[in-house]
């Protein structure tokens, strides 16, 4: 009989040597770069492949998001809003910090304002800690701002480096790292979360050296592909792996999780703080995004309009590509083309000139691709 102990002795003594080969392999720490010249399936960018165009308003604060608790009459109000272009990315991290500020123990009733990515993450964390939660929201998925997002996991366009304080940067780093860990637990088809290879073209870093220097651990094995080993000629090409979140799938799954854990969702549009103070819940988490500007008088809150052009799906395209402000993300619901960040623009209507510019930029980007 072979026991666990004598099997170990056999292995140590070479009894399994016949199963090995003399071929040397790269160490496990080697970056996961394909051998030989990199080949990428091209995206077919053309006007007749456009299936929809959408525009949304990011809740942007140059100084960064707000996570803070304060007294609100006889209640506690916990702010968690203003994530700019990183609402989905940062949602679990800032919600984690918000609960640290305002969670008053299990067997309590909590109100969450907003049913986007931030509100849903806040609600789920309350439930995981044993609290009872009701979400109050003016709009539900698929009508939320979070639904109009590319979905790449990376905290881009969250704040202005020249406006953010050192205290905020510390908070931002902690939230990003927490969110990165939370999302890894959701990497599954039912949540629309998957790991994806990203390529950046003619960029020095991942959205600014400021971010990369502080968050390099969140882009492991980031490397530069030498010229001649990739299909973009003399361009600088870098790659890294991160998660992709598909909003239509993810937000629906999150709502179902809230319901499954006994949560409630009430459609309601609050016009004043006095209406909020009339709620029965003693603790309120404010995840209203852009709405916090008017409801709570935040003068720093501004819209940052983003427009997306969506092409017919291409199953053979399995990578993300970013070049300056242009980006391409393949999803089940289509090829997402984006690249706009218009501060102060409140319009959610399609701008045909912007559509034409996005298509032109991506045509030029993929014209560099030699298959």
């Amino acid at each position: 009989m072979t026991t666990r102990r004598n099997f170990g002795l056999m292995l140590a003594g070479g009894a399994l040597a016949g199963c090995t080969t003399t071929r040397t392999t790269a160490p496990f720490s080697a970056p996961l770069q394909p051998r030989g010249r990199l080949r990428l399936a091209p995206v077919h960018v053309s006007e007749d492949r456009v299936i929809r165009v959408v525009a949304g308003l990011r809740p942007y604060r140059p100084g960064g998001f707000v996570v803070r608790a304060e007294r609100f009459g006889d209640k506690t109000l916990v702010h968690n809003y203003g994530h700019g272009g990183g609402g989905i990315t940062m949602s679990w991290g800032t919600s984690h910090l918000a609960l640290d500020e305002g969670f008053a123990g299990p067997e309590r009733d909590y109100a969450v304002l907003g049913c986007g990515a931030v509100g849903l993450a806040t609600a789920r964390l309350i439930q995981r800690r044993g609290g009872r939660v009701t979400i109050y929201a003016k709009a539900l998925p698929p009508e939320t701002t979070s639904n109009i997002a590319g979905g790449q996991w990376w905290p881009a366009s969250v704040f202005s480096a020249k406006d953010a304080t050192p205290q905020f940067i510390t908070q931002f780093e902690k939230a990003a790292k927490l969110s990165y860990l939370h999302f890894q637990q959701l990497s599954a088809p039912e949540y629309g979360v998957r790991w994806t290879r990203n390529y950046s073209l003619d960029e020095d870093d991942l959205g600014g050296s400021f971010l990369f220097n502080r968050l390099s651990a969140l882009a492991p094995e980031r490397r530069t592909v030498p010229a001649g080993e990739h299909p973009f000629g003399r361009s600088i090409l870098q790659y890294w792996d991160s998660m992709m979140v598909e909003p239509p799938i993810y937000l629906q799954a999150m709502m179902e999780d809230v319901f499954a854990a006994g949560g409630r969702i009430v459609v309601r549009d609050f016009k004043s703080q006095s209406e909020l103070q009339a709620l029965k819940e003693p603790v309120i988490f404010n995840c209203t995004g852009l709405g916090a500007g008017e409801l709570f008088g935040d003068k720093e809150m501004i819209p940052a309009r983003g427009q997306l052009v969506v092409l017919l799906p291409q199953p053979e395209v399995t990578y993300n590509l970013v070049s300056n402000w242009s980006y391409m993300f393949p999803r089940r619901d289509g090829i997402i083309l984006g690249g706009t960040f218009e501060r102060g623009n409140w319009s959610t209507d399609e701008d045909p000139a912007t559509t034409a510019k996005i298509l032109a930029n991506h045509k030029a980007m993929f014209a560099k691709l030699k298959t």
Side-chain angles (χ1 to χ4, degrees):
M1 294 180 61
T2 300
T3 65
R4 181 182 299 176
R5 180 177 182 276
N6 61 33
F7 180 80
L9 293 175
M10 290 165 60
L11 179 59
L16 301 182
C19 296
T20 64
T21 67
T22 58
R23 182 173 62 87
T24 59
T25 59
F28 287 119
S29 60
L32 302 177
Q33 180 182 348
R35 293 184 178 183
R37 188 172 182 271
L38 175 65
R39 299 187 64 192
L40 298 173
V43 173
H44 304 307
V45 182
S46 65
E47 288 76 6
D48 61 353
R49 292 183 60 81
V50 175
I51 56 176
R52 65 183 181 277
V53 178
V54 295
L57 306 178
R58 305 175 181 94
Y60 182 67
R61 300 179 78 256
F65 54 76
V66 176
V67 175
R68 183 184 68 247
E70 61 186 45
R71 292 304 301 169
F72 188 61
D74 61 348
K75 301 180 185 296
T76 298
L77 176 65
V78 186
H79 294 294
N80 182 14
Y81 70 88
H83 299 73
I88 292 177
T89 295
M90 301 295 294
S91 59
W92 285 94
T94 61
S95 298
H96 189 125
L97 297 182
L99 259 71
D100 289 345
E101 292 282 333
F103 188 77
E107 301 306 323
R108 295 289 299 276
D109 292 310
Y110 297 86
V112 173
L113 310 181
C115 198
V118 177
L120 288 167
T122 300
R124 288 297 294 127
L125 287 174
I126 291 171
Q127 291 177 321
R128 289 181 185 181
R129 295 193 188 187
R132 296 183 295 266
V133 66
T134 298
I135 296 176
Y136 298 91
K138 179 173 64 175
L140 306 182
E143 304 301 328
T144 69
T145 298
S146 296
N147 284 90
I148 306 174
Q152 181 198 40
W153 197 97
W154 183 252
S157 306
V158 175
F159 62 93
S160 167
K162 66 180 180 63
D163 294 307
T165 65
Q167 293 77 14
F168 170 78
I169 297 302
T170 299
Q171 185 184 54
F172 166 77
E173 292 175 12
K174 184 176 181 179
K177 292 172 183 177
L178 284 169
S179 201
Y180 186 65
L181 294 175
H182 277 288
F183 266 108
Q184 290 177 37
Q185 301 174 53
L186 299 175
S187 180
E190 57 265 34
Y191 286 100
V193 180
R194 69 182 189 278
W195 286 92
T196 302
R197 174 135 298 181
N198 301 270
Y199 294 96
S200 64
L201 187 63
D202 290 327
E203 291 190 327
D204 293 332
D205 46 60
L206 308 183
S209 58
F210 181 86
L211 278 185
F212 179 72
N213 289 340
R214 292 179 175 273
L215 300 179
S216 58
L218 308 188
E221 295 197 315
R222 173 178 176 264
R223 296 290 187 275
T224 298
V225 183
E229 294 184 14
H230 66 74
F232 290 98
R234 304 304 301 176
S235 298
I236 300 172
L237 186 71
Q238 300 180 58
Y239 69 91
W240 73 100
D241 291 338
S242 70
M243 288 167 282
M244 273 296 296
V245 183
E246 302 208 23
I249 301 172
Y250 173 74
L251 296 170
Q252 180 64 33
M254 289 284 286
M255 279 205 305
E256 292 173 2
D257 284 353
V258 170
F259 286 132
R264 298 172 61 243
I265 297 180
V266 176
V267 177
R268 184 173 175 183
D269 183 12
F270 293 97
K271 300 296 185 181
S272 67
Q273 294 187 20
S274 61
E275 293 180 68
L276 294 175
Q277 290 173 334
L279 292 175
K280 66 175 184 177
E281 293 86 0
V283 182
I284 301 172
F285 287 86
N286 168 34
C287 308
T288 54
L290 193 59
E294 181 176 355
L295 189 57
F296 295 99
D298 188 335
K299 303 300 184 183
E300 192 177 349
M301 176 67 73
I302 59 173
R305 183 182 183 275
Q307 183 165 309
L308 299 177
V309 177
V310 186
L311 306 179
L312 285 165
Q314 287 185 238
E316 73 278 14
V317 177
T318 58
Y319 62 93
N320 294 339
L321 183 62
V322 180
S323 180
N324 298 311
W325 275 103
S326 297
Y327 57 81
M328 180 283 300
F329 305 147
R331 299 192 331 207
R332 298 184 193 184
D333 59 335
I335 298 288
I336 309 299
L337 307 181
T340 61
F341 195 86
E342 303 172 57
R343 301 187 190 191
N345 188 338
W346 286 90
S347 174
T348 57
D349 296 329
E350 176 193 354
D351 177 26
T354 300
T355 297
K357 182 178 179 180
I358 290 173
L359 289 171
N361 288 344
H362 284 81
K363 285 179 182 179
M365 186 165 67
F366 283 100
K368 301 177 182 179
L369 177 63
K370 309 300 181 184
T371 56

